[in-house]
Amino acid sequence: MREPSRRILELIRAIPRGRVASYGQIAAMAGLANGARQVARLLASSSRAHRLPWHRVINASGGISLAPGSGGELQRTLLEREGVVFLRGRVNLRRYAWRPTLAG
DNA sequence: ATAGTGACTATAG
DNA sequence: GCTATAGCCACTA
């Protein structure tokens, strides 16, 4: 596994409960300027193996990109279980986006 | 090497 | 705010 991938996994592991981060945000924090798809790819290939809070990673619009039949419904359920509220299929990023520099 | 694909995203209309 | 388009990058055939 390459270095950027490890950074990505660490970052995802660092997302607090009840918070979300976008694919692009994780990529940028890991040092990848245009690595959103890479983040998604990594999750698709190794979310199961790494005991990761994969459900806290959503798209830049605040919605779930994962297909409903492939775990998308589970993702929403897991987030709602943490207190994240969905409105018209999206979450309010202003409210739930993970800001590492600020407190939890 | 080339082309197709996807858990993305920024931009334009 | 929604749809269409064009970049993007790793992976696969």
Side-chain angles (χ1 to χ4, degrees):
Chain A
M1 178 180 281
R2 285 179 291 174
E3 191 55 29
S5 295
R6 287 209 310 188
R7 295 285 304 273
I8 291 172
L9 293 177
E10 281 180 24
L11 285 163
I12 294 175
R13 269 191 273 261
I15 305 175
R17 237 175 143 256
R19 288 304 185 86
V20 299
S22 73
Y23 299 92
Q25 179 184 351
I26 295 297
M29 291 167 86
L32 304 173
N34 300 79
R37 306 198 87 131
Q38 190 175 333
V39 171
R41 225 172 210 311
L42 186 59
L43 283 179
S45 66
S46 55
S47 62
R48 198 159 49 106
H50 293 267
R51 201 183 307 157
L52 229 48
W54 57 273
H55 57 283
R56 301 190 185 134
V57 185
I58 62 182
N59 63 41
S61 301
I64 291 176
S65 291
L66 181 57
S70 305
E73 296 186 344
L74 171 62
Q75 180 170 19
R76 173 169 176 159
T77 299
L78 291 173
L79 284 174
E80 290 180 326
R81 183 181 297 174
E82 298 184 348
V84 177
V85 177
F86 279 75
L87 195 53
R88 285 177 234 129
R90 317 238 188 89
V91 310
N92 186 331
L93 287 179
R94 296 283 229 177
R95 184 170 166 133
Y96 299 108
W98 176 37
R99 303 200 214 327
T101 54
L102 304 181

